[in-house]
Amino acid sequence: MLLHFSPTKPLFFPPNPRRNPPLSPPKSLRIRAIDAAQIYDYETHLKSEHIKSTSLKIAVLGFGNFGQFLSKTLIRHGHDLITHSRSDYSSAASSIGARFFHNPHDLCEQHPDVVLLCTSILSTESVLRSFPFQRLRRSTLFVDVLSVKEFPKTLFLKYLPREFDILCTHPMFGPESGKHSWSGLPFVYDKVRIGEEESRGERCERFLKVFESEGCRMVEMSCEEHDKHAAGSQFVTHTMGRVLEKFGVESSPINTKGYETLLDLVENTSSDSFELYYGLFMYNQNALEQLERLDMAFESIKKELFGRLHQVYRKQMFGSGGDGKRSEQKLLNNGLGVPMKEESSSSS
């Protein structure tokens, strides 16, 4: 068949049923190529399961300033935080992704893996004495972060059931000194009692891993050795800071670097409560010795200064000639009963 083209009429092709089948209603879409989505979802699932398998449910007792400071980092590492305190910190807990329980019995019903004691030194024993241990699993790990170590170790061994694990720790930093980074800051710990089961050892290591991952200088040390060193460093530091605060050091336009260091010391120590400082003194048997040594050192420096001053006064009074020397000799030796040269020569 010949087709005639006309410049004024549109082209017309007769319908071909084979090439142009009639339209049918659209069928429901079926996704056939979903391999990529399955791989992505699977990897996400694996990651989620890994986080769950390595995360710990940690109960924080004492959700004050220091408890909140540690909890933020623990949550950032994927751990589940539940908290309890005498005061109502429910809003503070909610703001960082933790759950707050007003009743310690309800907290224990959550069966935490770790109970982290962030109470003050002075209230530790009363908290342990009234805590409902019977509602916890018998393999629960108890951890403290007090600034003294022999004291909480003794309390743990006294009040905790024998089946519970005990880890005594001391993060030697706080909200001020560790507000920017924990890198290089010392973290002291003593594995007082950890069960022989592999899972209990791994749980302890997972808790310590938080501080190691943050760059802390991990120091394993007995509680007794810690208190001996801490009395000579931490207690002395707090004492000097509080003495300077009472003295009233103030910034000036000509501060030296050394003076700036003293001002920083006062700022760091004054931010801690006197209750903490009293706890460092009361519950570290080495603290009294250090306080007495400080007092003796201060008296020794005063004596040395006044002794030099006395020599200056004597020189002003008696001059630097021979008479002055003889007079000075008399002052120095008279108390010892040593005869003067003039007296011995005259007698001869």
Side-chain angles (χ1 to χ4, degrees), residues 170-284:
H170 181 196
M172 301 193 70
F173 50 90
E176 282 297 321
S177 57
K179 60 183 176 182
H180 299 301
S181 171
W182 295 1
S183 180
L185 300 177
F187 181 89
V188 182
Y189 64 96
D190 184 11
K191 299 177 183 178
V192 177
R193 186 173 67 199
I194 304 297
E196 297 180 356
E197 292 88 344
E198 183 178 356
S199 60
R200 296 169 79 161
E202 290 177 350
R203 175 182 60 188
C204 178
E205 294 302 324
R206 287 203 301 273
F207 179 83
L208 293 174
K209 186 69 175 179
V210 173
F211 300 90
E212 183 180 351
S213 300
E214 289 294 318
C216 291
R217 178 163 56 87
M218 308 298 286
V219 182
E220 187 169 7
M221 178 183 295
S222 69
C223 293
E224 295 75 16
E225 189 178 2
H226 166 275
D227 282 4
K228 182 179 179 180
H229 291 299
S233 59
Q234 187 183 30
F235 177 73
V236 171
T237 301
H238 277 259
T239 300
M240 297 308 299
R242 292 190 174 275
V243 168
L244 291 171
E245 183 185 14
K246 295 290 185 182
F247 178 78
V249 291
E250 295 179 352
S251 181
S252 73
I254 55 172
N255 288 351
T256 62
K257 289 186 177 180
Y259 192 72
E260 291 286 352
T261 302
L262 294 181
L263 292 174
D264 291 339
L265 173 62
V266 172
E267 182 181 0
N268 288 334
T269 54
S270 62
S271 62
D272 294 321
S273 65
F274 189 83
E275 185 181 46
L276 170 62
Y277 177 62
Y278 177 72
L280 294 176
F281 171 75
M282 185 69 181
Y283 296 102
N284 187 336

Side-chain angles (χ1 to χ4, degrees), residues 98-345:
R99 291 174 290 161
F100 185 83
F101 290 85
H102 295 274
N103 192 309
H105 291 265
D106 296 336
L107 179 93
C108 293
E109 289 293 341
Q110 301 298 312
H111 300 298
D113 302 301
V114 180
V115 175
L116 180 60
L117 205 63
C118 294
T119 58
S120 68
I121 299 175
L122 302 182
S123 63
T124 300
E125 185 167 11
S126 62
V127 170
L128 288 177
R129 193 188 301 118
S130 61
F131 196 74
F133 301 108
Q134 70 278 6
R135 295 184 178 274
L136 297 170
R137 287 193 292 247
R138 288 183 295 175
S139 62
T140 304
L141 170 63
F142 266 73
V143 183
D144 86 283
V145 291
L146 301 186
S147 300
V148 292
K149 293 273 65 72
E150 286 189 88
F151 176 64
K153 174 185 176 180
T154 302
L155 292 181
F156 278 163
L157 293 175
K158 178 181 178 180
Y159 290 106
L160 295 184
R162 295 180 58 86
E163 297 82 6
F164 284 15
D165 289 350
I166 300 173
L167 175 66
C168 290
T169 76
H170 181 196
M172 301 193 70
F173 50 90
E176 282 297 321
S177 57
K179 60 183 176 182
H180 299 301
S181 171
W182 295 1
S183 180
L185 300 177
F187 181 89
V188 182
Y189 64 96
D190 184 11
K191 299 177 183 178
V192 177
R193 186 173 67 199
I194 304 297
E196 297 180 356
E197 292 88 344
E198 183 178 356
S199 60
R200 296 169 79 161
E202 290 177 350
R203 175 182 60 188
C204 178
E205 294 302 324
R206 287 203 301 273
F207 179 83
L208 293 174
K209 186 69 175 179
V210 173
F211 300 90
E212 183 180 351
S213 300
E214 289 294 318
C216 291
R217 178 163 56 87
M218 308 298 286
V219 182
E220 187 169 7
M221 178 183 295
S222 69
C223 293
E224 295 75 16
E225 189 178 2
H226 166 275
D227 282 4
K228 182 179 179 180
H229 291 299
S233 59
Q234 187 183 30
F235 177 73
V236 171
T237 301
H238 277 259
T239 300
M240 297 308 299
R242 292 190 174 275
V243 168
L244 291 171
E245 183 185 14
K246 295 290 185 182
F247 178 78
V249 291
E250 295 179 352
S251 181
S252 73
I254 55 172
N255 288 351
T256 62
K257 289 186 177 180
Y259 192 72
E260 291 286 352
T261 302
L262 294 181
L263 292 174
D264 291 339
L265 173 62
V266 172
E267 182 181 0
N268 288 334
T269 54
S270 62
S271 62
D272 294 321
S273 65
F274 189 83
E275 185 181 46
L276 170 62
Y277 177 62
Y278 177 72
L280 294 176
F281 171 75
M282 185 69 181
Y283 296 102
N284 187 336
Q285 60 182 354
N286 305 285
L288 180 59
E289 177 188 353
Q290 296 300 321
L291 193 61
E292 291 175 345
R293 289 182 61 189
L294 282 173
D295 187 49
M296 291 171 59
F298 187 66
E299 288 298 325
S300 176
I301 291 175
K302 285 171 61 179
K303 288 180 179 180
E304 185 175 357
L305 287 174
F306 291 134
R308 294 283 185 91
L309 185 62
H310 192 192
Q311 293 177 11
V312 172
Y313 284 156
R314 283 202 303 267
K315 288 181 180 180
Q316 290 178 352
M317 291 174 64
F318 303 111
S320 58
D323 294 339
K325 288 185 178 180
R326 286 195 296 270
S327 301
E328 183 178 348
Q329 184 70 25
K330 184 178 179 181
L331 289 171
L332 290 174
N333 295 332
N334 190 38
L336 298 176
V338 178
M340 297 295 292
K341 289 184 179 181
E342 293 87 352
E343 296 175 352
S344 61
S345 59

